[in-house]
Structure formats: C-alpha cells, structure tokens
Amino acid sequence: MAGIIEKTTVGHGNPFKVNWWVRFAWAAAFLYVIYAANYLDVSWVRFIGGLSNGADFLGEMVPVNFSRWKLLVGNLVETVEIAVIASAFGIVFSLPIGLLAARNMMPPWITWPARVFIALCRSFHPVIFAILFVKAVGFGPLAGILTLIFASIGFIGKLFAEAIEEISLKPVEALRASGAPFISIIMYAVVPQVQNRFIGFSSYQFDANLRNSTMVGIVGAGGIGGTLFAAFQRFDYDFLAAILISIIGLVMVSECISLQIKKVFQ
Amino acid sequence: MMSDQNNPVGTHAKRSLKIENLVKEYVPGKPILNGISFEVKGTSSVAIIGASGTGKSTLIRCVNKLIPPTSGNVYVSGENITKLTGKELRRARRKIGMVFQEFNLVERLSVMENVLCGRLGYVAPWRAWMRKYQTEDIDLAFELLESIGLVDFAHQRADSLSGGQRQRVGIARAIMQEPHVLLADEPTSSLDPKTSVEIMELLLGLSESHSLPLLINIHDVELAKRYTGRVIGLANGGIVYDGSPAGLSNENLKEIYGGASWLE
C-alpha cells in the first residue's frame, strides 16, 4: 500500500504541508505552561507535602456525623427549592430572549440588545452574581434564586439562539408564503425544529442549577452551602462529611431524574 | 368559499395572475429579470423554462413578494401585491399557493399538521397553537388527504414519507389556502421520473378542479411540453419565447439554454 501511495504522489510534492507557524505556536504554549507553573510555585515537592495534610483532613471526617440530620434535610429542601424556582423562571425567560437573539429570525436592532443581555448574564460566574444579589436584596434564598435565573438565561438563552440559527429555513419560507402570522410561523416552523434541543439544554441547566444552588449559600444566598461553610469554619469535619455526602446523593438523584425526563421527550 | 367575499362562488372570473414590467436587481444596475410581462387567466397552466441562474425562482418568488421586486407590478386577481406590506401582504399571500422543489414541510410535525399549515394565514395564532382548527378546515384537510391517497398517513410524521408523498403533502398544504393562483418552483426536480409525472398530473388536475391558474418553474422541457398549455422561455433576464408547447422549436431551445450539441 505504502509503495502505491508514494508512486502516485511523485511530481506533486508532499500532500500534507508542514505548517511551521502551528508548530511554533504549540512549542510556545508548552513553554509558557512550564514558565507559569514555576512562577506560581507549583511543584511536586509541594504537592507531595500536601498529600499528608489531605490525609489528616480526610481522617478527621470519619466517622461521619449525621446527628444533625434535621438541619441537613431542611437545608437540602431549601437548596432544591432554589434550583427548581430558578430553573422555572430561567427557562421561561430564556425562550423569548433566545428567540430575540437569533439572527436568522430577527433584525439586527433586536438581536444586538438581546445578545448583549445574554453576554452580560454569562460574563460573571454565579458566585459573583450571588455576592451582588446578596448586597442588593439581602441574605437568603431570594439572592440565590436571582443568581441562578441569570445563570440559566445566559446558558439556555445562548444555546437556544444558536439552535434556532441552525434550523432549516425551508418550512419558514413555506409558511411565510402561505400568509401565516409571525407567531404562527414560530410555533409551527421553528419550535418543532428546536424543541428537543431546548428540553435538553433545560434539563442540563436544571442539573447545573442544583449543583450551583449548593454553592451560592457560601456567600449567604441560601441553601446548604451556608451550613457547609459554617462547618468548615468550626472545624466540624465529621458534619462536613455528612453535608458533602448529602450533596453527592442529591446530585445523583437529579441526574437520574433528568435522564428519565430526556427519555420521555426523546 | 369562505375566503372569497368579493368573488362569488361559481364565477372565478377574477382568478388571474398578471405580471407587468417586472424588474429585479440583486446588484444595482445588473437586473436578473428585466421587464417581464405576462398574464395567466382561468384554468391555464404555464411552464417557465430557462437555464439555471436565469431567475426562474426569483420570478416566482416575486409573485408573492418572498423576494421584493425592484420595480414593476404583480396583480393577483386584480390586487397589486407589490404595493402591499405587513398584514395586508399576509392576507394577499393566502391567495397564492406555493409548492417547493424540496417540499419545505415541517419534518417533525404530522402530515395532518403540515396540511393544516395552509390555514395558518386564516387562523389566529393561539387557536393554531392549541390545534383548534375549524371543523370545515379539518374536513377539507381529510378530503384533500383522501384525494392524494395519504389519509392513512395523517398522523405520521412528515419525515417518514417518501419524496413523492412529501410533495403531495406540500401540494395539499397549498390547496388548503384556497388560493387564486398556484405557483410551483421546480416541483419535480427532487423526484424520480415516474413520481414526477404523477406530481405533474396531480398539479394539473387540481388546477382544473379548482379553476386555478398554475405557474410552474421546470427544468424538464419534455414534462413541460407534455403537461402545460403554454411555455414561457426566459433568457438574459427577458422572455424569449411565449407560446404553445408545440410551437417550441429547437431554435427556441437554443436561444433559451444556449449551445446546440445537447439537442442532438
């Protein structure tokens, strides 16, 4: 085989040109990683020293202390509530915003503001949003809910807009030709093409919201994160382990539920 | 019929399509269509032939203003389409049924929903969303599905059908509009020869039974000659032939498509 290929390429040169710029870029990236690691004092010595610290820490976690399970359950319920409410509002808001941001459906003077809004929602990590909202509306779940609504709009809105931009415009053209009003065109020619993907994005975001709602509590925005942080500060490592195990359980349960949801809509 | 307040049942005298001095320039100063004029009345079928890129699709899309013409007028049953915008244009488009080369069905909706799409111009969006169509509309849809032999497929998704079946659904959707004219943009180009003939027969049959002027863009000169009563040849932005299929000579075809070797 190799011989045959060599024969046919005689006189045409190597068909796979070497791109020295790409090779140079890879080498530069590699060197930068080594330089940055040195600069930040990332070394094996420190890593190995840290391992024994980690082992001590893990040792203090056992036996796991579930004695304050009532507090734990109450916190978990609040966490789930934050995630559910935020997902519901987030999904409802991102439908129209995603549509407004789709450049094949809307004129630029509508898509631009919508895209800027989505970009704003995406520009901050949820923790930063949570800090802002705790300042704005005070401690408690409301701040967490607002945080995750914005995170949801940023994620679903962007992906939904992209999904709409990828649809086939042929049925849209047909319905336009039949004199259908714009809203009917959206419902009949656009939504059926993106519905499944939208459900996929939504269930994925619900998953993410559940995980993030365990975290917003760290900055005081409600949910189990507040208790987690307090346990850390009191060196309550056995209770901390109980909290971490419950979070893992919660995320796994939600994983199973979202799998089931996806099956139903498949 | 319900849509024709100014067009009494039985007299379809007003059903016509008139194109007047139509010009379309995508690039200013370079018209792809330059002064096209013709009229189609009553139950007559017209084939538009021309080489690829001569603006056949543009011409047919200028009729319902999917592509706005640069200048000129298009009258459907006496109403000037080119002057209309917004809601008035949407109302006028209901009178113009259109059939597409690639069928343009909504693949994920059922055959029935696709046929009922032809009524969307008449039905309020929320009723359409709730699938609350008038009983007459649903009866008409079933009647049409019966006549095209697809009534058993009513609840199947459109993407489960073959090409010929899809095109028949596309035609049923256009007829659901109760149109005054029927446009077909290369309706047989994606189909095999046998199915193409069936689709042409269906289009011609519906044009007769509904007294509809029919305008077909078509590549296949033989199909055009066999089924339509009049052929319009486009070349270089203008009409170079307008007459009976029988009168279409090799000289005319040479002028329309260019070259001669393909005719031998």
Side-chain angles (χ1 to χ4, degrees), chain A residues 10-264:
Chain A
V10 165
H12 295 282
N14 184 355
F16 311 106
K17 281 247 163 71
V18 178
N19 190 336
W20 286 105
W21 285 111
V22 171
R23 290 196 177 177
F24 176 75
W26 278 111
F30 182 69
L31 288 176
Y32 178 76
V33 169
I34 293 175
Y35 163 78
N38 259 321
Y39 184 79
L40 297 174
D41 199 15
V42 179
S43 68
W44 286 112
V45 180
R46 280 197 57 187
F47 179 72
I48 291 162
L51 281 182
S52 69
N53 269 343
D56 290 346
F57 172 58
L58 284 178
E60 283 181 53
M61 280 188 170
V62 284
V64 178
N65 178 2
F66 272 105
S67 60
R68 276 182 282 169
W69 62 273
K70 274 187 182 160
L71 176 65
L72 212 53
V73 169
N75 275 322
L76 280 177
V77 168
E78 187 174 277
T79 300
V80 172
E81 280 169 356
I82 291 174
V84 169
I85 295 171
S87 299
F89 280 100
I91 290 167
V92 166
F93 289 140
S94 36
L95 255 171
I97 291 171
L99 178 66
L100 293 180
R103 281 169 294 194
N104 57 348
M105 288 288 128
M106 294 286 169
W109 61 272
I110 294 179
T111 60
W112 269 105
R115 297 180 89 79
V116 166
F117 180 69
I118 290 174
L120 277 178
C121 290
R122 294 172 61 78
S123 56
F124 296 121
H125 190 275
V127 170
I128 298 180
F129 265 126
I131 294 169
L132 294 177
F133 280 121
V134 166
K135 277 286 167 204
V137 301
F139 289 103
L142 179 61
I145 289 169
L146 289 172
T147 298
L148 296 183
I149 288 177
F150 278 84
S152 305
I153 293 173
F155 180 81
I156 308 177
K158 183 183 162 74
L159 291 184
F160 190 47
E162 278 171 8
I164 293 176
E165 287 175 355
E166 284 166 17
I167 64 166
S168 159
L169 288 175
K170 291 179 183 299
V172 176
E173 182 191 35
L175 297 201
R176 249 166 35 96
S178 77
F182 183 71
I183 298 173
S184 300
I185 294 177
I186 297 292
M187 285 184 315
Y188 271 74
V190 178
V191 171
Q193 293 192 61
V194 294
Q195 182 173 294
N196 275 12
R197 296 183 68 187
F198 184 71
I199 289 164
F201 302 148
S202 301
S203 69
Y204 184 87
Q205 182 60 30
F206 176 67
D207 237 36
N209 281 349
L210 206 59
R211 265 172 289 130
N212 284 337
S213 67
T214 60
M215 173 272 299
V216 291
I218 294 172
V219 294
I224 202 167
T227 316
L228 177 97
F229 194 54
F232 247 119
Q233 287 187 316
R234 289 198 308 266
F235 307 106
D236 243 348
Y237 292 139
D238 50 356
F239 184 46
L240 179 73
I243 298 173
L244 292 180
I245 288 169
S246 355
I247 292 177
I248 291 171
L250 180 68
V251 170
M252 285 177 113
V253 168
S254 89
E255 195 86 20
C256 291
I257 293 173
S258 72
L259 264 179
Q260 294 304 318
I261 292 175
K262 275 184 193 164
K263 260 187 205 161
V264 169

Side-chain angles (χ1 to χ4, degrees), chain B residues 3 21 30 33 57 82-83 117 137 147-148 151-152 165 170 189 194 199 226 257-258:
Chain B
S3 61
N21 219 6
K30 286 187 180 172
L33 297 174
S57 284
T82 45
K83 298 282 178 281
C117 277
D137 291 354
S147 72
I148 61 173
V151 78
D152 294 334
Q165 291 171 330
S189 294
K194 175 173 168 280
I199 291 297
R226 185 169 155 191
Y257 291 100

